[in-house]
Amino acid sequence: KVATMASQVQSMVDDYLDDDTKLNFKIAGASLVFYLVLIAVFNLLKLDAKLLSLSKDPKVRKEAYAMTPLGIKNRVYMDSTVQSLLSSVLSSALAFHLLYVHRNWREYSGERLLFDPDALTFYYCSVMTGYFASDLILELIYYNCFPEFGMIIHHVIFLFCCAHNLKNKVFTFQYIWLSLCECSTPFVNLRWVLHVLGLKDTKAYLVNGFFLTMTFFFFRVIVYSFGLYHLYTLYPLLLASDKPFASKYIVPSFLVVGYFLNLLWATKIVKGLISLMKGGKKAKKEE
């Protein structure tokens, strides 16, 4: 009976997914396993605790190996930060590669921009899907360690969008400019690392804050704004296509929600940088 049920399930999958889509989901699964193993090894070898033990903040240093709420929170967040840093650097590089490959995108038809089953784009999308799934699993298991609920919403939205794209081969060009948004993520990660290591008053923290603000504003506000407007101009083509309801309404709605999350975070980042710069000026005056 088990063998029969397995055969039936396999048959349903074969009918539902074509060979390219099955390959993409296998790649996404491999990516998920890679990131889960990465953070598991990082945690089991206590590399997260070792990094935290180097902090100049005595409280963080004291709790580095402790099984206290603060110790666990910092280690879990460090694990999440490590995989996020790796994924964001990789995703940014792949996004620029796609931008180069499709550098003549202005000459593409609307149909190609929306529905081109470009193997390279969806291969890269598969890799990112695995990361989003891995980080979301970590966030859901250790929910109390992630104070920013917006990040969980962000991961749910873009995991759904990536998986949907893999299945329906849609939003090909849109994936490229969305991936470019990852260019700001390494600076977000470094900001937390510098903060938890007690280096908030250093020049490195200020410089990182500057690049975080610039990249976040450029990619997640300006590029995202133009990207959404460009998608709006193509929307009649999307509505007239044979793509499913989710492609026409849910994914575009999710992209708008992601845009407003970026605007919310952008205001917080700018306020933080202004506060940091004011604090630096006051310190110089006191000297």
Side-chain angles (χ1 to χ4, degrees):
K1 289 183 178 181
V2 174
T4 302
M5 289 178 63
S7 177
Q8 290 175 343
V9 170
Q10 184 63 47
S11 178
M12 290 174 62
V13 170
D14 290 340
D15 292 338
Y16 186 65
L17 303 176
D18 57 39
D19 290 340
D20 289 340
T21 303
K22 283 189 283 188
L23 176 61
N24 286 333
F25 275 107
K26 286 179 181 178
I27 295 169
S31 175
L32 168 61
V33 171
F34 168 78
Y35 281 109
L36 288 176
V37 170
L38 173 69
I39 57 177
V41 170
F42 200 77
N43 179 263
L44 289 173
L45 295 179
K46 298 184 178 180
L47 297 177
D48 45 11
K50 288 179 182 178
L51 283 174
L52 292 167
S53 68
L54 300 175
S55 177
K56 292 185 177 181
D57 184 336
K59 188 174 182 181
V60 172
R61 196 165 59 244
K62 180 182 177 182
E63 303 284 344
Y65 291 90
M67 294 302 293
T68 59
L70 178 61
I72 294 173
K73 178 181 178 180
N74 284 341
R75 289 194 298 276
V76 169
Y77 211 95
M78 181 66 79
D79 297 338
S80 175
T81 298
V82 167
Q83 71 168 347
S84 176
L85 182 59
L86 175 61
S87 174
S88 60
V89 171
L90 177 62
S91 297
S92 299
L94 298 183
F96 277 109
H97 180 232
L98 287 176
L99 195 61
Y100 175 76
V101 171
H102 298 284
R103 57 191 177 279
N104 297 321
W105 64 269
R106 293 179 185 84
E107 301 173 9
Y108 293 178
S109 65
E111 288 80 4
R112 183 175 180 182
L113 289 168
L114 282 169
F115 312 126
D116 182 14
D118 179 53
L120 189 62
T121 299
F122 290 102
Y123 172 75
Y124 290 169
C125 183
S126 301
V127 176
M128 183 176 279
T129 301
Y131 159 70
F132 278 132
S134 175
D135 209 32
L136 182 60
I137 289 172
L138 191 65
E139 289 172 344
L140 293 177
I141 293 176
Y142 296 98
Y143 173 78
N144 293 330
C145 297
F146 296 88
E148 179 58 70
F149 186 70
M151 187 56 67
I152 296 178
I153 296 175
H154 173 275
H155 280 29
V156 169
I157 286 174
F158 287 103
L159 175 59
F160 175 85
C161 291
C162 284
H164 177 84
N165 285 6
L166 293 181
K167 167 62 177 67
N168 297 283
K169 300 296 186 294
V170 64
F171 303 113
T172 311
F173 178 70
Q174 290 68 38
Y175 174 78
I176 298 175
W177 59 260
L178 284 167
S179 296
L180 287 172
C181 294
E182 288 298 296
C183 291
S184 66
T185 305
F187 301 106
V188 175
N189 298 143
L190 289 174
R191 176 188 175 278
W192 181 82
V193 171
L194 291 170
H195 176 78
V196 80
L197 292 182
L199 301 174
K200 190 175 180 180
D201 297 324
T202 63
K203 186 176 180 180
Y205 189 86
L206 181 61
V207 171
N208 182 77
F210 172 78
F211 282 107
L212 166 57
T213 305
M214 294 300 102
T215 55
F216 200 99
F217 184 75
F218 180 74
F219 289 106
R220 292 184 180 261
V221 178
I222 296 178
V223 171
Y224 206 126
S225 297
F226 280 109
L228 277 184
Y229 175 74
H230 184 253
L231 177 59
Y232 171 76
T233 64
L234 300 174
Y235 198 56
L237 289 174
L238 181 61
L239 291 178
S241 71
D242 60 354
K243 295 300 179 181
F245 179 86
S247 297
K248 297 177 180 179
Y249 301 104
I250 296 178
V251 172
S253 298
F254 277 179
L255 295 184
V256 173
V257 173
Y259 178 65
F260 281 107
L261 278 174
N262 284 337
L263 292 180
L264 174 64
W265 289 330
T267 57
K268 291 182 177 181
I269 289 171
V270 171
K271 288 179 181 178
L273 181 62
I274 292 174
S275 176
L276 183 62
M277 292 177 70
K278 286 182 177 179
K281 290 179 180 180
K282 287 182 179 180
K284 286 184 178 180
K285 287 181 179 179
E286 290 176 359
E287 290 177 3

